[in-house]
């Protein structure tokens, strides 16, 4: 595989060298007992006296839940602020196998274990994907309200204070080591009142509050392009549900999305049918109708039980860090092109950011600085930047026209392509390729694209 030059995302400053640092080795309490963190506490960083470091995590999705749990286990006084405790995001809900083990997820929160997928072209040519999966391998399908609640509850068990509240704004400190003052509206789930305005003083903030992040606005993190995801949960008969028992479908074509795909993903007792687009947001309902029509024979007679819509970031924000405030998950822009995957990357970024705070603060005993949080960004970019770039290129090449999508579906029929794709997706590692098979794949890809271009030229003639 050709080497890829790694670059940090736009707007990031290079971290300054830390010559006056000491390296300590301590165990971080976790569900993975053998894992150890290297703690790099700056000698100039003042000790926190009379208490432990205080950190607020704004947003209770996978990023916020994972961050809050890691902070609490690492000796940080942690506050997790979430407005909607029954949050149902319009998300396909697919998670890779590695996430189940890496985040110790219980199997009872996984609705379905998908071992088969159908990729369906604009002309309705269906290709079966999943032939290379081993018996124990699968893609997990979850409901976000179930997964998010589980991660928040686990953070609370670890010692985090979970606050049902709406984050409003944040006062940025003018002096070094002065606290951030968070303003939020607190709600009582029992009284269901209008809410009470409150403030919270903390030493650092993790923004995990999604694509419309108010934390990002507080640090002038800049805007980014975003997609609109639209999803309907449809209850179908038991007979029809049997078809989707371990099967997911993905539809490509200008009718379902000019720049993304439509999906039918199975959940516990219903299917999630959705689509998304960046370039034609105003037509999202038209694309959703087309997705339903493409899947009509398999979901006909179903009842729509929930309708959901939400913005999905298309690339990282220009700024993801300022002083003692860092962004993770959708707030940072960690959703992949082409596949639209975000759950694993959200949870992973939340954990990595929290680990940098635990390490930099010496388990909550010292104040943290921007250089401590910047280690999270450096590690993130080094680990995942190639993945984002490759998927960005794939989307630009294969999602640009219906002939290109036909070529993409044709290419997906290749078992080697399936193996490389699933191995990379399931384990979030670049799968080692076979040089001979890579060469064959390159030739086949060029052939598919040439046929696609020839088809496009013929279609252009017919439209004149």
């Amino acid at each position: 595989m050709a080497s890829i030059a790694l670059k940090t995302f736009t707007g990031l400053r290079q971290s300054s060298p830390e010559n006056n640092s000491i390296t300590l080795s301590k165990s971080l309490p976790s569900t993975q007992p053998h894992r150890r963190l290297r703690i790099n506490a700056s000698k100039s960083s003042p000790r926190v006296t009379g208490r432990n470091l205080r950190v607020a995590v704004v947003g209770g999705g996978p990023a916020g839940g994972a961050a809050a749990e890691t902070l609490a286990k690492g000796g940080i006084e942690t506050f997790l602020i979430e407005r909607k405790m029954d949050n149902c995001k319009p998300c396909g809900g697919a998670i890779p196998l590695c996430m189940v083990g890496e985040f110790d997820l219980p199997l009872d929160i996984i609705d379905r274990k998908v071992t088969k997928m159908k990729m369906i072209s604009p002309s309705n040519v269906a290709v079966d994907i999943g032939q290379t999966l081993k018996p124990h391998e699968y893609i997990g399908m979850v409901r976000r309200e179930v997964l998010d609640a589980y991660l928040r509850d686990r953070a609370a068990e670890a010692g985090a204070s979970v606050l049902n509240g709406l984050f409003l704004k944040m006062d940025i400190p003018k002096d070094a080591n002065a606290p951030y003052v968070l303003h939020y509206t607190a709600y009582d789930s029992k009284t269901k009142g209008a809410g009470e305005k409150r403030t919270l003083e903390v030493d650092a903030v993790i923004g995990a509050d999604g694509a419309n992040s108010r934390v990002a606005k507080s640090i002038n993190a800049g805007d980014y392009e975003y997609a609109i995801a639209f999803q309907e949960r449809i209850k179908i008969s038991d007979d029809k549900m049997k078809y989707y028992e371990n099967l997911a479908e993905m539809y490509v074509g200008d009718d379902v999305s000019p720049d993304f795909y439509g999906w039918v993903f199975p959940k516990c007792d219903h299917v999630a049918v959705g689509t998304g687009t960046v370039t034609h947001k105003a037509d999202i309902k038209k694309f959703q109708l087309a997705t339903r029509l493409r899947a009509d024979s398999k979901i006909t007679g179903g009842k729509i039980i929930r309708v959901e819509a939400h913005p999905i970031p298309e690339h990282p924000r220009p700024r993801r860090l300022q002083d003692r405030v860092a962004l993770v998950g959708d707030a940072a822009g960690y959703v992949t092109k082409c596949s639209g995957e975000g759950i694993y990357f959200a949870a992973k970024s939340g954990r990595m950011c929290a680990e940098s705070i635990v390490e930099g603060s010496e388990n909550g005993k010292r104040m943290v600085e921007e250089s401590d949080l910047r280690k999270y960004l450096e590690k993130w970019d080094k680990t995942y930047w190639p993945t984002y770039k490759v998927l960005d290129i794939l989307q630009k090449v294969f999602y640009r026209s219906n002939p290109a999508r036909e070529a993409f579906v044709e290419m997906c029929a290749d078992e080697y392509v399936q193996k490389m794709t699933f191995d990379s997706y399931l384990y979030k590692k670049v799968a080692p390729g076979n040089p001979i098979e890579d060469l064959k794949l390159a030739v086949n890809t060029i052939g598919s694209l040439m046929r696609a271009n020839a088809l496009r030229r013929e279609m252009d003639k017919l439209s004149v």
Side-chain angles (χ1 to χ4, degrees):
M1 181 177 290
S3 62
I4 300 176
L6 296 179
K7 297 181 179 179
T8 55
F9 292 113
T10 304
L12 294 183
R13 299 187 297 276
Q14 295 295 323
S15 61
S16 57
E18 296 177 273
N19 298 323
N20 300 322
S21 65
I22 56 174
T23 302
L24 304 174
S25 179
K26 289 193 177 183
S27 296
L28 175 67
S30 111
T31 52
Q32 298 172 317
H34 300 296
R35 187 178 184 184
R36 299 174 69 84
L37 292 178
R38 290 175 60 81
I39 296 177
N40 299 289
S42 172
K43 287 182 178 179
S44 62
S45 181
R47 284 193 170 274
V48 180
T49 57
R51 61 176 177 83
N52 282 9
L53 190 78
R54 292 186 182 130
V55 177
V57 179
V58 180
E69 180 187 17
T70 302
L71 289 170
K73 286 184 174 181
I76 309 295
E77 188 177 352
T78 308
F79 302 89
L80 174 60
I81 302 175
E82 169 59 42
R83 172 64 183 101
K84 297 180 179 179
M85 295 298 185
D86 60 346
N87 178 48
C88 300
K89 186 178 178 181
C91 166
I95 61 172
L97 182 62
C98 66
M99 184 175 180
V100 178
E102 191 174 338
F103 288 86
D104 298 311
L105 300 179
L107 295 183
D108 60 3
I109 73 168
I110 298 173
D111 285 344
R112 301 280 177 177
K113 295 181 178 180
V114 167
T115 56
K116 300 176 184 177
M117 295 191 75
K118 283 187 181 293
M119 179 68 72
I120 304 170
S121 78
S123 62
N124 279 328
V125 172
V127 169
D128 293 322
I129 303 175
Q131 305 169 52
T132 62
L133 287 178
K134 298 179 179 64
H136 70 281
E137 294 178 330
Y138 62 88
I139 297 172
M141 290 291 168
V142 299
R143 284 165 289 158
R144 283 291 302 274
E145 64 269 27
V146 175
L147 173 66
D148 295 7
Y150 173 79
L151 292 175
R152 285 196 301 269
D153 289 345
R154 202 163 68 179
E157 291 172 2
S161 298
V162 178
L163 309 176
N164 184 193
L166 174 64
F167 172 75
L168 301 172
K169 63 178 183 177
M170 176 169 62
D171 297 337
I172 307 296
K174 293 181 172 55
D175 301 323
N177 301 323
Y180 289 84
V181 180
L182 276 59
H183 299 259
Y184 69 101
T185 302
Y187 295 95
D188 187 332
S189 59
K190 296 180 181 178
T191 61
K192 297 182 179 180
E196 177 185 351
K197 296 290 190 297
R198 294 182 185 175
T199 60
L200 176 67
E201 292 188 357
V202 295
D203 302 304
V205 180
I206 295 179
D209 49 338
N212 293 323
S213 171
R214 290 183 176 179
V215 174
K217 290 180 175 65
S218 295
I219 63 170
N220 297 316
D223 296 323
Y224 49 26
E225 189 60 87
Y226 66 93
I228 288 293
F230 192 97
Q231 179 174 274
E232 295 168 316
R233 301 193 190 195
I234 301 178
K235 178 86 170 178
I236 57 179
S237 67
D238 291 342
D239 288 343
K240 291 185 179 297
M241 198 68 212
K242 188 72 176 175
Y243 172 79
Y244 288 108
E245 183 177 13
N246 62 344
L247 170 72
E249 293 178 326
M250 296 172 66
Y251 294 85
V252 292
D254 283 334
D255 58 333
V256 299
S257 176
D259 54 342
F260 201 55
Y261 63 86
W263 65 84
V264 181
F265 287 172
K267 300 305 171 85
C268 57
D269 60 353
H270 63 274
V271 289
V273 181
T275 185
T277 179
V278 176
T279 57
H280 293 67
K281 297 180 182 69
D283 296 326
I284 188 66
K285 290 187 177 180
K286 180 181 73 174
F287 300 139
Q288 177 66 12
L289 177 60
T291 304
R292 284 210 314 269
L293 290 174
R294 293 276 292 274
D296 184 64
S297 63
K298 289 157 285 190
I299 64 173
T300 186
K303 178 183 178 182
I304 297 174
I305 58 177
R306 191 165 196 142
V307 178
E308 305 156 337
H310 200 77
I312 305 294
E314 277 290 292
H315 59 79
R317 287 190 189 273
R319 173 185 290 159
R320 294 168 290 156
L321 172 66
Q322 180 174 283
D323 298 329
R324 289 170 278 143
V325 181
L327 304 177
V328 296
D330 281 12
Y334 296 150
V335 176
T336 59
K337 292 285 189 72
C338 192
S339 67
E341 182 189 2
I343 296 178
Y344 173 81
F345 294 112
K348 187 68 174 179
S349 63
R351 174 178 281 183
M352 287 172 64
C353 182
E355 286 175 345
S356 72
I357 293 175
V358 172
E359 294 167 8
S361 69
E362 195 176 336
N363 293 97
K365 303 305 180 186
R366 292 183 180 274
M367 182 62 67
V368 289
E369 301 171 350
E370 181 173 314
S371 61
D372 296 310
L373 276 69
R374 188 163 297 282
K375 291 173 184 175
Y376 136 66
L377 288 188
E378 292 169 350
K379 183 178 179 181
W380 176 270
D381 291 352
K382 182 177 180 180
T383 305
Y384 297 114
W385 179 239
T387 297
Y388 282 83
K389 287 304 296 180
V390 168
L391 291 174
D392 186 20
I393 293 169
L394 286 176
Q395 185 173 38
K396 289 176 180 176
V397 171
F398 290 110
Y399 283 15
R400 71 184 190 275
S401 68
N402 273 354
R405 295 182 185 100
E406 295 284 355
F408 177 61
V409 173
E410 178 184 337
M411 189 176 70
C412 288
D414 187 277
E415 284 195 18
Y416 181 66
V417 172
Q418 293 185 25
K419 176 172 172 40
M420 294 291 288
T421 300
F422 274 107
D423 285 354
S424 298
Y425 174 80
L426 292 176
Y427 303 107
K428 289 294 169 281
K429 295 178 181 178
V430 178
N434 179 306
I436 297 177
E437 292 297 329
D438 285 343
L439 180 59
K440 290 180 181 177
L441 176 59
V443 172
N444 291 339
T445 300
I446 293 171
S448 294
L449 288 173
M450 290 178 65
R451 289 191 292 276
N453 285 328
L455 176 60
R456 179 178 56 79
R457 286 194 295 269
E458 294 301 316
M459 291 174 66
D460 288 342
K461 291 178 183 178
L462 293 173
S463 63
V464 173

